[in-house]
Amino acid sequence: MRKINITTTNPYTVKPVEPEIPVFTKEEFEDRISRLLNKMSNSELTHVIVYGDREHFSNLEYLTGFDPRYEEGMLIIQGDGKLTLLVGNEGWNYSFISPLNLERILYRNFSLQGQPRDNQPCLKEVFKNCGIDKYSNIGVIGQKYFESDHIKGCEHEAGYFTDVPSYIIDILVQIVDRNRITNFTHAMTNLSDGLRITVKGAKEIAYYEYVTNKVSNCVINMLEGLEPGISELEASRKAGYDASPINMFPLVNFGEKHAFLCLRSPNHNKLKEGNLVTICYGIRGGLVARSGLAVKDKSGISNSLGNIIEEFYMPYFRAVITWYESVKIGKNCGEVYNKVMDILGGEKDFGVSLNPGHNISSDEWTNSPFYKDSPHKILNGYYLQCDIIASLQNPVRLAMLEDGVIFADEKLREELKSQYPDVYNRIQKRREFMIEVIGINLSDDVLPLSNAQAICHPFLLDTNKIFTIDKLMK
């Protein structure tokens, strides 16, 4: 077994930059709509209805460039390609961010409670004007689709159920038989050929790399700014956050109690030496998370935690290394799951209760191919988050090391190198550090996006010390 080491080095070697994030064009959005129309045709659907709200925006944004922010929105796609977008009061002006040729309808029930509802169109008539009648076959896209074992004890198949507001379905049923309405969300996010499940070219890679570059720099700033006496809020200010739209609430937690709550937001709680720390930040398209102990060396670790470095953090780091060394295009995700869980032992041993990794996009968790007996293989263009969370109680122990990677074959890598050389060069520099310093045997098709990729600090008050592993003997 290869030895895990604690190595002194400068781990953050990619120079912070503030690149301009690519903007997608009308033609690129039209291509996305065209691919969805092909899926509609193959499924013999006459219409697709895409619903989105503040939290569940990704499918609507992917297709149009518009997201509802704090209201709701709905796109009706007809088989001939006509597009109708329904928005609320405050979404009307913002809807023009979409470059597509859309018929826009102000549907004020998508507005906030108490706002004007006068001149409200009848949703039933809107549907009829879009060609929906009793012979229509309608696919509904929300945020989730259901597998056969998700809905139990019901007389209907899983595709019958959808997570969009029930009143929308109730109004549709006044026009068309309920059995002609099906959940079509899998067209966007299923693990084999969902439209959003793989990147479609170098520009999308560049977009996600630019975003994750920014996110990782914020996390690095917070890690390097940790010192006893700093408050959670003060630490968050060191991040250098900007007003980019988030895909989750930023987390800065000091101490066992706050770390246990995990999802809480920072307050004036101050860092004490020996505290458990969790930091997580994500904007649409990328997320980076870290946890560990606020100590300079082993002498600062509480006796109650025992040999936590050797017995908890080192095995955890070995599992992360195993994940990185296992993943590549064509690899069976069930095998990756088994290799990771063989080290961590699941929920009982290391408190791993979620999937060891998942797909990521503008939303923080799009789907996951990593589960027991998974038949899915890593596809060219997969954007995956290495996300293994180990969490134990009494005493509280927590390990998180989250960064994203994109899988690209030689053709896609050459496209990236040609069109976005700055992105390509940063990725190569990250790969070099992961291979030569950390010791990871990384496949050529793995493109790391984070400036903190796989960097794990045993002592968070000394960010020049990291875990490494002996290299594989050739």
Side-chain angles (χ1 to χ4, degrees):
M1 181 180 292
R2 292 150 67 197
K3 182 184 176 186
I4 303 290
N5 308 292
I6 296 176
T7 301
T8 300
T9 186
N10 173 22
Y12 301 121
T13 58
V14 178
K15 183 179 179 180
V17 294
E18 185 64 29
E20 185 174 346
I21 296 177
V23 176
F24 295 100
T25 65
K26 177 182 179 181
E27 291 73 24
E28 288 163 331
F29 284 111
E30 287 175 339
D31 179 68
R32 295 174 180 182
I33 294 290
S34 177
R35 287 188 277 115
L36 183 56
L37 285 169
N38 287 336
K39 285 181 173 289
M40 287 173 58
S41 177
N42 292 337
S43 299
E44 299 183 340
L45 297 177
T46 60
H47 299 77
V48 162
I49 295 173
V50 186
Y51 172 85
D53 60 24
R54 179 181 182 272
E55 293 296 329
H56 310 115
F57 62 88
S58 293
N59 290 322
L60 185 58
E61 183 186 52
Y62 181 83
L63 294 169
T64 66
F66 165 79
D67 68 285
R69 297 289 155 135
Y70 47 85
E71 295 184 317
E72 300 166 78
M74 186 165 67
L75 178 69
I76 303 172
I77 305 173
Q78 297 174 219
D80 62 2
K82 182 180 178 182
L83 307 174
T84 303
L85 181 66
L86 282 69
V87 299
N89 290 330
E90 297 182 77
W92 178 262
N93 285 2
Y94 184 61
S95 72
F96 287 89
I97 195 172
S98 174
L100 292 172
N101 296 323
L102 300 163
E103 178 183 353
R104 290 171 172 81
I105 294 177
L106 180 59
Y107 184 64
R108 288 179 152 170
N109 280 339
F110 283 167
S111 308
L112 302 182
Q113 191 70 48
Q115 289 191 358
R117 294 292 196 275
D118 48 319
N119 300 318
Q120 174 80 296
C122 171
L123 187 55
K124 181 178 178 180
E125 293 304 314
V126 171
F127 287 145
K128 285 184 174 182
N129 290 336
C130 289
I132 294 177
D133 59 27
K134 66 179 182 179
Y135 301 108
S136 299
N137 294 311
I138 302 167
V140 177
I141 294 177
Q143 180 69 10
K144 290 178 283 189
Y145 61 91
F146 302 101
E147 306 283 3
S148 58
D149 60 339
H150 294 173
I151 306 293
K152 299 179 180 180
C154 298
E155 60 185 53
H156 300 288
E157 294 184 358
Y160 180 92
F161 300 96
T162 177
D163 62 346
V164 306
S166 61
Y167 78 89
I168 294 175
I169 304 300
D170 292 342
I171 292 173
L172 279 171
V173 170
Q174 295 179 27
I175 307 171
V176 60
D177 185 273
R178 179 63 180 83
N179 291 314
R180 287 178 173 267
I181 304 169
T182 186
N183 190 326
F184 200 54
T185 310
H186 59 83
M188 302 298 295
T189 57
N190 85 78
L191 293 163
S192 299
D193 65 352
L195 295 184
R196 288 204 299 118
I197 216 68
T198 57
V199 300
K200 300 302 188 288
K203 187 173 184 178
E204 289 191 29
I205 296 176
Y207 177 90
Y208 291 127
E209 193 275 345
Y210 286 159
V211 167
T212 309
N213 173 73
K214 177 184 289 192
V215 168
S216 60
N217 289 338
C218 290
V219 171
I220 291 167
N221 289 342
M222 284 188 279
L223 290 174
E224 293 186 329
L226 291 177
E227 59 182 359
I230 193 173
S231 74
E232 294 169 345
L233 285 171
E234 289 169 335
S236 70
R237 294 187 192 107
K238 289 182 177 291
Y241 297 147
D242 58 25
S244 299
I246 59 175
N247 62 7
M248 63 157 292
F249 291 106
L251 309 178
V252 182
N253 293 316
F254 298 159
E256 181 177 301
K257 180 180 178 180
H258 286 190
F260 170 78
L261 295 173
C262 189
L263 298 181
R264 63 174 293 281
S265 298
N267 64 11
H268 294 286
N269 177 47
K270 293 185 182 295
L271 180 65
K272 300 180 181 64
E273 189 162 357
N275 274 171
L276 182 60
V277 172
T278 61
I279 291 173
C280 183
Y281 180 55
I283 61 179
R284 294 180 182 181
L287 180 142
V288 174
R290 292 294 185 272
S291 69
L293 295 173
V295 296
K296 297 177 181 177
D297 51 42
K298 287 184 181 181
S299 67
I301 299 174
S302 169
N303 291 334
S304 66
L305 295 175
N307 296 320
I308 189 172
I309 298 298
E310 293 80 8
E311 296 176 3
F312 185 74
Y313 284 111
M314 283 187 173
Y316 172 82
F317 181 70
R318 186 180 300 280
V320 171
I321 296 299
T322 299
W323 190 93
Y324 278 110
E325 294 189 337
S326 300
V327 293
K328 62 181 179 179
I329 293 172
K331 183 69 175 181
N332 176 268
C333 297
E335 293 179 14
V336 178
Y337 174 91
N338 289 338
K339 288 183 177 182
V340 170
M341 301 311 280
D342 282 348
I343 297 171
L344 298 181
E347 191 166 1
K348 180 179 178 181
D349 296 315
F350 276 79
V352 179
S353 59
L354 298 179
N355 315 61
H358 56 84
N359 306 85
I360 181 173
S361 181
S362 56
D363 44 0
E364 188 271 333
W365 185 303
T366 308
N367 207 333
S368 178
F370 297 107
Y371 55 88
K372 186 176 176 60
D373 300 325
S374 169
H376 299 287
K377 294 182 178 181
I378 294 174
L379 302 178
N380 184 36
Y382 253 17
Y383 179 16
L384 294 177
Q385 184 86 343
C386 180
D387 179 4
I388 305 169
I389 300 176
S391 178
L392 292 173
Q393 310 302 319
N394 300 319
V396 173
R397 287 148 289 169
L398 181 65
M400 289 195 303
L401 190 67
E402 290 195 48
D403 302 284
V405 294
I406 287 177
F407 294 81
D409 63 12
E410 185 175 2
K411 179 181 177 182
L412 188 52
R413 297 197 299 273
E414 286 301 315
E415 180 184 332
L416 180 69
K417 183 178 181 180
S418 172
Q419 296 180 18
Y420 297 92
D422 59 328
V423 173
Y424 181 85
N425 289 336
R426 284 195 295 271
I427 286 172
Q428 292 305 114
K429 193 164 187 179
R430 296 179 193 117
R431 284 181 51 83
E432 180 181 359
F433 188 87
M434 293 173 74
I435 295 167
E436 298 300 328
V437 180
I438 299 179
I440 302 174
N441 184 33
L442 199 63
S443 176
D444 291 342
D445 51 22
V446 178
L447 308 186
L449 305 186
S450 166
N451 294 336
Q453 199 87 35
I455 294 170
C456 185
H457 299 290
F459 317 120
L460 289 184
L461 297 185
D462 185 354
T463 54
N464 286 322
K465 287 190 170 62
I466 65 171
F467 285 122
T468 61
I469 190 169
D470 288 348
K471 294 180 183 178
L472 281 170
M473 299 296 293
K474 294 184 179 180

